[in-house]
Amino acid sequence: IGSGAFRNSQNKKWYGLIMNIPKNKIDNGEEFVDVLNVKLDEEEIKELLNHKGFYKAYHMNKRTWITIILDETLSDSEIMTYIIKSHKYTEMLNEWLIPANPQYYDMLNCFQNTDTIMWKQSSSINVGDYAYLYIGSPFSAIFYKCCVVENNIPFSYSDNNLSINKAMRLKLVKEYDHNKFTLTYLKQFGVNSIRGPRRIPEKLCEELNK
């Protein structure tokens, strides 16, 4: 299998992977085809998988990457649109939307006596990243913006609802009006659900940082 990676020249992060693979790796057929993997928003990936020319990512994380077949199904200009979007993921600040269940965490009072809390580590989140804590039902809104000041902290905890092997330390940067960034509002920016840590769309980042 031949392949080549496209990297951001400044930070060496991948934004594309082109490969020549057997078509049966993604669809029916025995012939070899050229494909391109690009990195996109999770919700956009779900939508694109309903259209011709797009497949679940081959050889990459299927939540954050998608495979485009290079067989003239999509025009060159359409393909370039997705390459540009993918490149932006290597340029943007690492800002994450993280869900919190108020049944298990006292999210209303977690910063009452401190400006830092411990949180379950996500392998994709690094020191210097920003984490926006989205509090689930009955609130269903973003409450806090935090900065990750320490990560990969050894931490062992397990119960029927949660298992933690490593933790990160979050420092409060800003608290939002609890009625402002509700799920209804977030849907305007393509955020229809928050089931795990996910990157925040660029337009929503702009609103949160006004």
Side-chain angles (χ1 to χ4, degrees):
I1 297 175
S3 64
F6 297 90
R7 298 172 183 263
N8 184 313
S9 60
Q10 295 181 325
N11 53 32
K12 307 305 180 185
K13 290 183 177 180
W14 288 24
Y15 64 90
L17 178 65
I18 191 168
M19 297 175 286
N20 183 252
I21 63 172
K23 192 175 182 182
N24 60 21
K25 296 291 186 181
I26 57 171
D27 201 352
N28 296 322
E30 297 297 328
E31 71 274 21
F32 274 71
V33 293
D34 292 325
V35 298
L36 172 68
N37 283 356
V38 291
K39 191 178 183 71
L40 298 175
D41 179 78
E42 291 181 44
E43 296 300 321
E44 184 171 12
I45 287 173
K46 291 176 183 177
E47 171 61 25
L48 289 175
L49 289 174
N50 296 316
H51 298 274
K52 290 183 177 180
F54 298 95
Y55 299 87
K56 291 182 179 179
Y58 171 71
H59 197 62
M60 304 291 276
N61 186 317
K62 291 175 172 52
R63 285 194 308 108
T64 54
W65 291 79
I66 192 169
T67 291
I68 301 172
I69 192 167
L70 304 177
D71 66 351
E72 307 299 331
T73 300
L74 274 71
S75 68
D76 290 347
S77 62
E78 287 176 307
I79 293 170
M80 282 303 303
T81 296
Y82 296 111
I83 291 174
I84 291 169
K85 283 186 177 183
S86 186
H87 189 276
K88 284 185 176 181
Y89 274 97
T90 68
E91 300 171 352
M92 64 172 40
L93 290 173
N94 287 326
E95 302 201 29
W96 303 87
L97 194 54
I98 298 179
N101 191 327
Q103 295 181 27
Y104 309 132
Y105 309 102
D106 183 9
M107 298 310 302
L108 292 176
N109 299 302
C110 61
F111 288 109
Q112 187 171 18
N113 299 310
T114 180
D115 65 349
T116 61
I117 60 173
M118 298 285 281
W119 202 264
K120 182 178 180 179
Q121 170 72 30
S122 170
S123 59
S124 301
I125 300 179
N126 299 302
V127 171
D129 290 358
Y130 287 98
Y132 296 82
L133 298 183
Y134 170 86
I135 316 307
S137 180
F139 305 102
S140 301
I142 296 174
F143 279 18
Y144 308 109
K145 175 181 180 179
C146 303
C147 181
V148 181
V149 294
E150 188 177 358
N151 69 346
N152 296 323
I153 303 168
F155 194 95
S156 181
Y157 177 84
S158 181
D159 62 23
N160 293 332
N161 303 300
L162 180 66
S163 179
I164 303 177
N165 296 315
K166 291 187 296 184
M168 56 186 176
R169 194 180 307 278
L170 304 180
K171 182 179 178 63
L172 180 65
V173 174
K174 182 176 182 179
E175 181 172 358
Y176 297 100
D177 180 335
H178 296 177
N179 297 311
K180 170 63 175 174
F181 292 103
T182 63
L183 182 58
T184 299
Y185 185 82
L186 300 184
K187 287 180 178 179
Q188 300 177 46
F189 301 91
V191 179
N192 296 310
S193 62
I194 304 97
R195 292 184 289 271
R198 55 169 292 174
R199 291 184 183 274
I200 299 182
E202 184 177 356
K203 292 296 183 182
L204 178 55
C205 277
E206 292 176 4
E207 291 297 315
L208 287 162
N209 287 296
K210 281 184 176 178

